[in-house]
Amino acid sequence: MKKGEAGYEQSQDCQVTVKLKKRGNLNIVLNSKMKKMFGDQIIQKAQEELDLLGVKHADVTIDDYSALDFVIQARIRTAVRRARDGEEDV
């Protein structure tokens, strides 16, 4: 299982950890103070970004510190790229 991380534990940012797997489901865990209000939207954006990147089998953890959508998307891209070790396809 390959692992990639991105982001910082600071206001208006998030930490994303992606553990790529060869099989199994795509699991997204969100830790956020804003989960009740925006949790579904954050998970939906994460799912969309992972779909664009072709990630189908992974454990993804998002520790959100009030990050905007584009920050979460960028952190997911970077974490996936780091997990892939520069490979184009998993």
Side-chain angles (χ1 to χ4, degrees), residues 47-65:
Q47 180 71 55
E48 289 172 6
E49 192 62 32
L50 291 162
D51 287 346
L52 285 173
L53 296 168
V55 176
K56 296 182 182 179
H57 313 290
D59 292 326
V60 179
T61 302
I62 302 169
D63 295 312
D64 174 52
Y65 305 101

Side-chain angles (χ1 to χ4, degrees), residues 6-16 63-65 75:
Y8 299 96
E9 187 178 327
Q10 65 185 31
S11 182
Q12 299 181 344
D13 203 346
C14 66
Q15 289 181 311
V16 175
D63 295 312
D64 174 52
Y65 305 101
R75 297 302 186 202

Side-chain angles (χ1 to χ4, degrees), residues 28-75:
I28 301 173
V29 175
L30 173 64
N31 301 307
S32 175
K33 292 180 190 177
M34 305 303 286
K35 189 173 184 174
K36 284 186 180 180
M37 290 176 38
F38 300 111
D40 291 341
Q41 292 169 324
I42 293 170
I43 290 172
Q44 180 182 347
K45 284 292 180 184
Q47 180 71 55
E48 289 172 6
E49 192 62 32
L50 291 162
D51 287 346
L52 285 173
L53 296 168
V55 176
K56 296 182 182 179
H57 313 290
D59 292 326
V60 179
T61 302
I62 302 169
D63 295 312
D64 174 52
Y65 305 101
S66 302
L68 297 174
D69 287 353
F70 72 90
V71 174
I72 295 169
Q73 291 170 311
R75 297 302 186 202

